[in-house]
Amino acid sequence: MPFKPADNPKCPKCGKSVYAAEERVAGGLKWHKMCFKCGLCQKLLDSTNCTEHEGELYCKVCHARKFGPKGYGFGGGAGCLSMDTGDHLKGENAGGLRTNGACMESRVIAKAPPGEGCPRCGGCVYAAEQMLARGKAWHRECFKCGDCQKRLDSTNCCEGPDKDIYCKVCYAKKFGPKGYGYGKGAGVLQSDPYANGDQAPKTTVIDTAAIQAPPGKGCPRCGGAVYAAEQVLAKGREWHRKCFKCHDCSKTLDSIIACDGPDNDVYCKTCYGKKWGPHGYGFACGSGFLQTDGLSEDEISANRPFYNPDTTSIKAPKGQGCPRCGGMVFAAEQQLAKGTMWHKKCFNCAECHRPLDSMLACDGPDKEIHCRSCYAKLFGPRGFGYGHAPTLVSTDSEPTVT
């Protein structure tokens, strides 16, 4: 009986027999260890990164490039645009290296029955790649704006009256309202010629200040008619938006900083304070210095209150005034000593005229006040040890010479 060798499985890549010592299994087929590599990048594979598709082996990255979804968010990291199909890897094998023949040509999309396929290309839409919009299934590649070709998703897709889909910006340009306030941001004029195919309408800027209103009913500054689109209200009066500014510095005002002046005009807070606010020490933009802006030196002098600094000339009833001068003692200048009120300038030592306070003042037997030194000299004890120095002091008699 002739010898018949064992029928070993063949490697799908090289076509040679695969023995047990070197076999790798994937997709129900056995491969050589050195043939068990990606068909695009030639990276050696293992059980953790091997992906099989129609008898071909790929790493997970190349499989995603060729067969995975593409577009915004489907790149190497979320948030980027990837349309990579592996074309840069296609020419690496031109030097004679044998590959598994993985093709990079685009697949032919089967046509669907009328009204059942993708609304844009008419092809069949399978569950792995469908995108839904208003009950219709679209290819992921076809699910883009009909004007700018921007990729869409469920948050920015708008279906137009022509049964096509648009991004929000293109939909607003083509089908949205136009005019003041209907642009990309509120408050602008949107009349994009791209939306209707015509040139933007010519507009004429009208100076409403030239349209005079009846006396007492127009803008208080220019007298023009004030319309609702530009009116600003202040104290029951209607102003043009461009006229509602400070009379002095022309700063644009709002309801927070506008101040009505006595002359029926409006000012910012700073100019109002300079012109109509109080003046003097502490009434400036920051307290602590003298604010006299807008006033001449003569006006300041005329408005300065007059006072007589010599309060000693105002005599008090006997026994009720300052013990030294007899004048009236007012609360702003009084000093108390042993229940008696003194003028601040009179509250000094009767001998050396040193200014006193509650710590230094001493009441003497003569009903006057003295500093401690003078009190000790006049009324303090005398003798050895009671002077400024430990010496014997005797002021009662003349010294005798023996």
Side-chain angles (χ1 to χ4, degrees):
M1 185 174 181
F3 172 76
K4 185 176 180 181
D7 189 11
N8 294 317
K10 305 298 181 183
C11 175
K13 180 171 288 190
C14 64
K16 296 180 181 180
S17 297
V18 181
Y19 300 97
E22 60 175 351
E23 71 179 12
R24 293 288 186 272
V25 180
L29 302 175
K30 295 183 177 181
W31 309 68
H32 289 120
K33 182 177 181 180
M34 298 307 297
C35 295
F36 198 67
K37 59 179 68 175
C38 177
L40 288 181
C41 66
Q42 304 302 311
K43 176 183 178 181
L44 290 176
L45 305 177
D46 55 29
S47 60
T48 62
N49 62 354
C50 175
T51 305
E52 187 270 341
H53 185 84
E54 296 180 357
E56 302 291 349
L57 292 179
Y58 303 92
C59 64
K60 289 187 176 181
V61 175
C62 293
H63 184 271
R65 284 175 176 168
K66 185 176 181 183
F67 303 107
K70 299 174 179 62
Y72 182 81
F74 294 101
C80 61
L81 181 64
S82 176
M83 299 298 293
D84 186 10
T85 58
D87 290 339
H88 63 289
L89 302 174
K90 189 174 180 181
E92 289 185 358
N93 302 317
L97 295 177
R98 185 174 181 180
T99 66
N100 60 355
C103 61
M104 298 301 298
E105 288 78 11
S106 59
R107 293 169 293 169
V108 177
I109 300 176
K111 292 297 181 181
E116 297 182 5
C118 175
R120 183 153 290 166
C121 66
C124 291
V125 183
Y126 300 99
E129 58 176 351
Q130 73 177 1
M131 300 291 290
L132 297 178
R134 302 301 178 91
K136 298 178 183 179
W138 301 67
H139 289 124
R140 191 181 299 273
E141 293 293 327
C142 299
F143 198 67
K144 57 184 68 174
C145 177
D147 283 344
C148 66
Q149 305 302 312
K150 176 184 177 181
R151 296 268 178 180
L152 303 179
D153 54 28
S154 58
T155 63
N156 62 354
C157 176
C158 299
E159 186 176 3
D162 55 355
K163 304 302 181 183
D164 207 344
I165 53 176
Y166 302 90
C167 64
K168 290 185 177 181
V169 175
C170 294
Y171 182 89
K173 287 181 178 179
K174 196 164 187 177
F175 304 106
K178 297 170 181 63
Y180 183 81
Y182 292 103
K184 295 181 181 180
V188 298
L189 182 63
Q190 169 64 27
S191 55
D192 193 345
Y194 177 75
N196 47 29
D198 300 327
Q199 294 296 325
K202 295 182 179 180
T203 57
T204 303
V205 178
I206 300 176
D207 185 9
T208 54
I211 305 174
Q212 294 297 314
K217 295 185 178 181
C219 175
R221 180 153 293 167
C222 67
V226 182
Y227 298 96
E230 58 176 349
Q231 72 178 1
V232 178
L233 297 178
K235 302 292 185 179
R237 294 179 294 169
E238 297 178 349
W239 299 69
H240 289 126
R241 189 183 301 274
K242 65 179 181 179
C243 296
F244 194 63
K245 56 184 65 176
C246 178
H247 178 268
D248 288 347
C249 65
S250 300
K251 178 181 179 180
T252 302
L253 304 178
D254 54 26
S255 59
I256 303 299
I257 61 175
C259 298
D260 276 17
D263 56 353
N264 294 325
D265 214 326
V266 287
Y267 301 86
C268 64
K269 288 187 175 181
T270 303
C271 294
Y272 182 90
K274 289 179 179 179
K275 195 164 187 178
W276 311 106
H279 300 84
Y281 183 81
F283 291 102
C285 298
S287 61
F289 62 92
L290 186 63
Q291 168 65 28
T292 57
D293 192 3
L295 297 178
S296 63
E297 188 64 30
D298 294 337
E299 292 175 337
I300 296 173
S301 300
N303 293 329
R304 185 180 293 120
F306 173 76
Y307 69 100
N308 183 12
D310 187 12
T311 54
T312 59
S313 61
I314 305 174
K315 295 300 179 179
K318 186 176 182 180
Q320 298 181 9
C322 176
R324 181 160 295 171
C325 67
M328 182 72 72
V329 182
F330 298 96
E333 57 174 351
Q334 71 181 3
Q335 295 285 332
L336 297 177
K338 302 291 184 176
T340 308
M341 293 186 297
W342 300 67
H343 289 124
K344 184 176 294 187
K345 67 176 183 177
C346 296
F347 196 67
N348 52 34
C349 179
E351 295 293 325
C352 64
H353 301 290
R354 175 185 178 184
L356 302 178
D357 56 23
S358 60
M359 301 298 294
L360 300 176
C362 298
D363 278 12
D366 56 354
K367 305 300 181 181
E368 272 285 358
I369 53 175
H370 307 272
C371 65
R372 290 188 176 186
S373 299
C374 294
Y375 183 90
K377 289 180 181 179
L378 293 174
F379 308 106
R382 294 176 177 80
F384 183 79
Y386 290 102
H388 293 282
T391 58
L392 184 62
V393 178
S394 177
T395 60
D396 291 338
S397 61
E398 296 294 330
T400 59
V401 180
T402 57

